[in-house]
Amino acid sequence: MRSIGGVPIAALTLVALLPLACADEVEPDAEAMSSDGGEMQARLDQFAPVTLGFDESLLDADQRRVVKELVEASRHLDDIFRLQAWGGNADAEALLPTGDDSESAATREYYRIMYGPWDRLTGEEPFIEGAGHKPHGAGFYPDDMTREEFEEWIAANPGDEEAFKSETTLIQRTGDGGLVAVPYREAYTGHLEAASENLLAAAERANNPSLKRFLELRAGALLSDDFYDSEVAWMRLSDNLIEPTLGPYENYEDQLFGYKISYESFIGLKDPVESERLASLVENLPALEAALPIPDEHKYLDRSFESPISVVTLIYAGGETAAGIQTIAFNLPNDPRVREGEGSKKVMLRNVIDAKFETNLKPIAEQVLVPEQSAKISVDPYFTRVLMHELAHGLGPDYVTGQPDLTTRQALKDRYAAMEEAKADAVGTNSLRILTRSGVYDEAFLEEVYIDHVADMFRCVRFGITEAHGLGCLTQFNFLRDRGAITYDESTGLFAADLEVIPVAIAEMAHVYLMMQATGDYDGAGAFIEEYGTISPEMQGALDRLAETVPVDIRPSYAVEELMADW
């Protein structure tokens, strides 16, 4: 899932951790945001151009070849994801304009960013004429297949249930109009074989034994759809400068059932010193699990709490993570079998966090919060809360209580992703309150965390409420407003965190999300979304103001792509 030595994080100078040199051109262009260009250029201007660079001198000749092969493998996974996002992407040229004018160029670029003809910020709205309705099942199911047809097929063919609900199969029509499950390894053979060869070539050049083992195992996993051993190897990476994450992971794209996972990749360079300095938080995870605001029978007090933290400079990303809104951090693997034995790893993309803070969160806070609170927004609590969000993905139920074969992901289906992201936000912030009580942070820092949390909900609602993070943030915001934890001044149109109420309200909110998962309450999750998943006029007014001057997100380009020509 994702968001997004011994020295408490609150004491670190995180500006030093997040150097601006890692993200060029991060200042939003206000003139471009308010320009009189065409419609597609206006859409494109919602994404601030950022070049993500890195220190090339850190890599020797073998490491440069490893990175080059990893980028090539990532490109193949990116091609697979385009097909997973929508089967029609195989013939994109039939939809895209071919002219040399600026609007045609902007349309082609926006299509690339959105991985299809639908605007991910607004849900199902096509920005290209003739695209039609966006299939809720993306490219995982036939466009015309309904939920009812899928369920009726399994009822009539119970032997197909396991394959049909597998995370790594496509559902396709047969010649007689029936349905069949096709494994990823067969559906995407060409790209997977090529990516596997890239990983084996990278393994040959890898001098780090743990990296070599991971690459060899992951090369085989791409051809078998069995990722368990390679996930364990990924968790056991050690003393590695190059931090690769490649494979099928998240179920965000499958909005029909939430069963199918998508390919993505992150290639980063690890900062071992800062990773180690942040690792002290992991020691608190058993206590934070024990302190979750739910009955003890739903807690996992005996799970593995191993949770390595990698602070990396992102040098390349592709696939699901690159579609629309860019990832700032992630917590993997999602496989509960691996998490039980190995824990999970938190990867913080420090140059991306820095770029988003400068282009998005800081200017958002200045426009939606009362001045005395917006003045307190800084990168330190933002970075820390992102980290705690990722740690919180590893807390709470993995399975429905009393049903050891039913994961929370399976039980909540298409509603899982939004509820899990909201849970991680609520549990993460509540955990910082618990750590403050134990002396890790002080009250002034915690106050900044609460203010950051409120501002950040505006940031992620702008991603679109059909997107998991956006919908999860919207339900949080409305829940907290309902409890009086967020106040609104009609005369100014500004919001504020009620610092007396918000600690209790966030703990209550964490309880609600956790219990949905513990009980596998699919209907309850639906009712909760129905109650709290609508944008209020007050929030819409603030979002309208932001649309005029503040980018929604960044649009990264990667310096490594030019450097590779000489490697």
Side-chain angles (χ1 to χ4, degrees):
M1 302 299 293
R2 72 176 75 107
S3 353
I4 315 235
V7 180
I9 296 179
L12 300 182
T13 306
L14 291 181
V15 171
L17 280 183
L18 306 170
L20 283 172
C22 291
D24 300 327
E25 304 175 52
V26 299
E27 292 296 331
D29 186 341
E31 181 178 350
M33 289 292 295
S34 59
S35 70
D36 295 325
E39 176 192 351
M40 292 312 303
Q41 185 61 47
R43 290 180 191 253
L44 195 57
D45 287 341
Q46 295 175 104
F47 294 84
V50 172
T51 300
L52 297 182
F54 64 101
D55 185 354
E56 186 184 7
S57 68
L58 293 173
L59 302 174
D60 62 27
D62 283 333
Q63 290 170 325
R64 291 179 185 183
R65 182 58 184 269
V66 170
V67 168
K68 183 175 182 178
E69 295 290 350
L70 290 174
V71 171
E72 294 292 350
S74 297
R75 287 170 171 166
H76 286 293
L77 301 189
D78 188 79
D79 287 339
I80 292 173
F81 175 70
R82 289 194 178 275
L83 299 176
Q84 292 180 319
W86 182 48
N89 280 330
D91 191 25
E93 297 301 320
L95 276 177
L96 292 172
T98 58
D100 295 331
D101 60 289
S102 60
E103 274 293 275
S104 293
T107 301
R108 292 191 294 271
E109 176 66 4
Y110 206 65
Y111 188 103
R112 184 192 67 79
I113 293 171
M114 294 296 152
Y115 283 69
W118 297 281
D119 195 329
R120 291 174 179 267
L121 301 183
T122 56
E124 300 178 358
E125 174 202 351
F127 56 85
I128 295 179
E129 186 176 353
H133 179 75
K134 180 180 181 181
H136 287 178
F140 301 112
Y141 311 88
D143 287 355
D144 61 349
M145 192 203 76
T146 64
R147 292 173 62 97
E148 291 74 21
E149 181 184 3
F150 182 93
E151 291 166 347
E152 288 170 1
W153 180 273
I154 290 177
N157 303 274
D160 286 345
E161 181 171 9
E162 182 177 357
F164 270 47
K165 292 184 176 180
S166 167
E167 294 181 327
T168 55
T169 62
L170 301 183
I171 306 302
Q172 296 179 347
R173 289 213 179 276
T174 60
D176 60 2
L179 299 174
V180 63
V182 180
Y184 284 2
R185 62 182 179 273
E186 297 177 11
Y188 309 120
T189 299
H191 285 301
L192 290 175
E193 288 180 346
S196 179
E197 291 175 3
N198 289 133
L199 296 189
L200 290 175
E204 290 181 3
R205 292 295 191 102
N207 296 318
N208 177 287
S210 66
L211 177 61
K212 179 185 290 289
R213 176 170 173 76
F214 165 69
L215 293 173
E216 290 173 343
L217 288 174
R218 184 49 55 101
L222 292 178
L223 304 182
S224 69
D225 291 332
D226 182 357
F227 291 88
Y228 179 83
D229 289 341
S230 62
E231 291 287 60
V232 172
W234 183 75
M235 284 297 301
R236 295 179 180 178
L237 286 173
S238 61
D239 301 321
N240 53 304
L241 170 63
I242 301 170
E243 182 82 42
T245 305
L246 311 93
Y249 286 107
E250 306 293 2
N251 68 334
Y252 302 136
E253 201 70 13
D254 178 3
Q255 295 184 15
L256 193 64
F257 288 106
Y259 292 146
K260 309 304 178 183
I261 54 178
S262 302
Y263 278 96
E264 64 183 343
S265 67
F266 303 85
I267 311 302
L269 300 184
K270 183 176 179 179
D271 185 330
V273 175
E274 299 306 340
S275 298
E276 182 63 28
R277 292 177 75 181
L278 298 180
S280 61
L281 272 183
V282 175
E283 300 171 3
N284 296 285
L285 291 179
L288 293 177
E289 178 79 23
L292 290 175
I294 52 176
D296 286 349
E297 62 262 31
H298 303 308
K299 298 174 184 177
Y300 286 58
L301 301 175
D302 297 327
R303 68 164 21 126
S304 170
F305 289 98
E306 290 297 318
S307 188
I309 296 173
S310 291
V311 179
V312 309
T313 295
L314 181 70
I315 62 175
Y316 192 82
E320 196 274 339
T321 184
I325 303 302
Q326 305 299 303
T327 300
I328 55 178
F330 56 90
N331 173 66
L332 292 172
N334 289 327
D335 187 337
R337 300 172 302 164
V338 181
R339 288 157 66 107
E340 286 174 1
E342 302 288 332
S344 59
K345 184 189 300 186
K346 284 68 183 168
V347 180
M348 311 294 292
L349 310 179
R350 69 180 184 183
N351 52 339
V352 182
I353 291 173
D354 181 45
K356 291 210 184 197
F357 179 80
E358 293 295 329
T359 62
N360 302 129
L361 186 61
K362 186 176 178 181
I364 285 172
E366 292 170 351
Q367 293 202 35
V368 304
L369 298 182
V370 295
E372 56 268 30
Q373 292 195 351
S374 66
K376 295 182 179 180
I377 289 289
S378 63
V379 74
D380 188 342
Y382 177 52
F383 184 92
T384 307
R385 201 177 63 80
V386 170
L387 175 57
M388 284 307 307
H389 170 103
E390 299 305 331
L391 288 168
H393 278 308
L395 299 175
D398 285 328
Y399 295 90
V400 175
T401 302
Q403 301 185 61
D405 295 326
L406 182 62
T407 67
T408 57
R409 182 193 292 259
Q410 291 169 330
L412 295 184
K413 301 178 185 177
D414 54 306
R415 296 166 184 166
Y416 170 80
M419 296 300 93
E420 171 62 21
E421 293 303 330
K423 178 215 84 173
D425 270 347
V427 171
T429 297
N430 190 58
S431 295
L432 290 174
R433 178 176 67 94
I434 295 167
L435 293 176
T436 299
R437 288 178 173 177
S438 64
V440 177
Y441 303 103
D442 59 33
E443 291 294 335
F445 182 83
L446 183 62
E447 179 179 299
E448 293 182 42
V449 166
Y450 289 132
I451 294 169
D452 168 88
H453 193 146
V454 174
D456 202 38
M457 285 185 281
F458 285 91
R459 184 182 70 87
C460 72
V461 168
R462 297 181 79 204
F463 302 165
I465 62 173
T466 60
E467 192 272 345
H469 302 77
L471 179 58
C473 281
L474 180 59
T475 63
Q476 292 178 70
F477 183 86
N478 286 332
F479 184 96
L480 294 175
R481 277 214 69 194
D482 184 64
R483 298 305 191 273
I486 298 175
T487 61
Y488 176 70
D489 185 338
E490 291 186 2
S491 65
T492 63
L494 299 177
F495 296 83
D498 186 316
L499 297 173
E500 296 294 326
V501 177
I502 201 168
V504 175
I506 286 180
E508 179 187 357
M509 186 168 68
H511 169 85
V512 171
Y513 293 123
L514 287 164
M515 289 305 296
M516 286 180 199
Q517 296 183 334
T519 61
D521 190 358
Y522 180 78
D523 291 337
F528 188 82
I529 292 170
E530 180 72 22
E531 181 174 1
Y532 295 110
T534 301
I535 297 176
S536 67
E538 294 83 4
M539 172 176 261
Q540 188 61 58
L543 296 175
D544 290 342
R545 293 199 306 273
L546 295 174
E548 297 176 1
T549 56
V550 181
V552 173
D553 202 48
I554 62 172
R555 175 161 44 111
S557 58
Y558 301 101
V560 69
E561 293 189 281
E562 292 188 9
L563 295 172
M564 282 169 47
D566 298 324
W567 291 356

